Amino acid sequence: MAKRIGVLAVQGAFAEHEAMLGALGAECHELRNRTDLQEKPDALVLPGGESTVQRKILMESGMLAPIKSWIEEGMPVLATCAGLILLAEHLSNDRRTCFETLPVTVRRNAYGRQLGSFITEADVRHIGPMRQNFIRAPYIEQVSPEVEVLSETAGHVTAVRYGYQLALAFHPEVGHDTRLHEAFLRMI
């Protein structure tokens, strides 16, 4: 039976995640409003995009509390870029947090605006070298001791795992390398 993945689809790069996960045999269901949460998925994707817009829609639609409960109960979650910001307990340059389930401190737009976007290759623990696309990306300034650091770029933490939360500052969904999505599916 295919793994059922709930993909937050209120804004951002959710279609790219759906395409990659679908190619790996997962069944993706878009989460756009509270009624989409009636059937609980096996796992969750929080895509890149505008974290402030996503947070506002989550709050206004009544989706924030149920999704936070799922994460706190141990539902596997893959969060990229804005998704990392939504999970973070603390933001160093913004007071507006969201789920607060990942014990890290994140800096929003850490590399600057759109012109500060870049592509690099860096090692990801348990996976190996990987092309990493940073688009108006955050990075992680501090991690709690129980958080596993998976990747660093230019001296900054850019990927972590905490329990069933896999959080990345970069966008693996915009390339062709499926290894991180495969690792996520194995967490289910």
Side-chain angles (χ1 to χ4, degrees):
M1 186 170 162
K3 295 173 181 172
R4 188 173 190 276
I5 312 299
V7 180
L8 184 65
V10 296
Q11 188 274 334
F14 58 89
E16 291 85 349
H17 282 289
E18 291 173 355
M20 190 165 277
L21 289 165
L24 294 171
E27 184 181 305
C28 294
H29 295 271
E30 294 183 354
L31 307 177
R32 295 180 177 274
N33 54 56
R34 193 171 171 96
T35 59
D36 295 331
L37 306 183
Q38 291 175 352
E39 190 176 337
K40 189 175 178 181
D42 298 316
L44 178 67
V45 171
L46 301 175
E50 297 288 339
S51 62
T52 50
V53 172
Q54 291 180 10
R55 179 183 164 277
K56 183 176 192 264
I57 293 170
L58 283 164
M59 291 176 68
E60 289 175 355
S61 68
M63 292 173 35
L64 194 147
I67 292 174
K68 180 175 176 149
S69 293
W70 291 349
I71 297 167
E72 290 173 338
E73 292 166 4
M75 178 180 284
V77 59
L78 171 62
T80 58
C81 199
L84 163 64
I85 294 167
L86 295 177
L87 288 181
E89 278 187 1
H90 305 284
L91 303 174
S92 63
N93 55 349
D94 194 337
R95 292 189 321 239
R96 296 167 294 175
T97 55
C98 190
F99 295 117
E100 299 179 345
T101 58
L102 182 65
V104 298
T105 300
V106 170
R107 174 168 288 278
R108 296 179 67 231
N109 297 327
Y111 299 100
R113 300 201 178 275
Q114 194 71 27
L115 293 175
S117 300
F118 64 98
I119 298 171
T120 191
E121 186 164 307
D123 280 333
V124 177
R125 191 172 188 189
H126 311 297
I127 292 180
M130 182 171 209
R131 180 182 167 135
Q132 298 179 3
N133 293 279
F134 292 86
I135 305 167
R136 290 185 59 214
Y139 59 65
I140 300 167
E141 292 184 328
Q142 295 179 321
V143 298
S144 293
E146 64 272 21
V147 174
E148 180 184 12
V149 174
L150 300 176
S151 189
E152 295 183 41
T153 299
H156 300 291
V157 175
T158 55
V160 296
R161 180 172 176 176
Y162 174 67
Y164 288 97
Q165 297 177 65
L166 180 59
L168 318 168
F170 54 92
H171 292 267
E173 75 281 4
V174 299
H176 301 290
D177 190 336
T178 61
R179 291 177 294 163
L180 272 169
H181 286 78
E182 290 170 27
F184 168 60
L185 291 175
R186 286 192 298 273
M187 291 168 53
I188 301 170

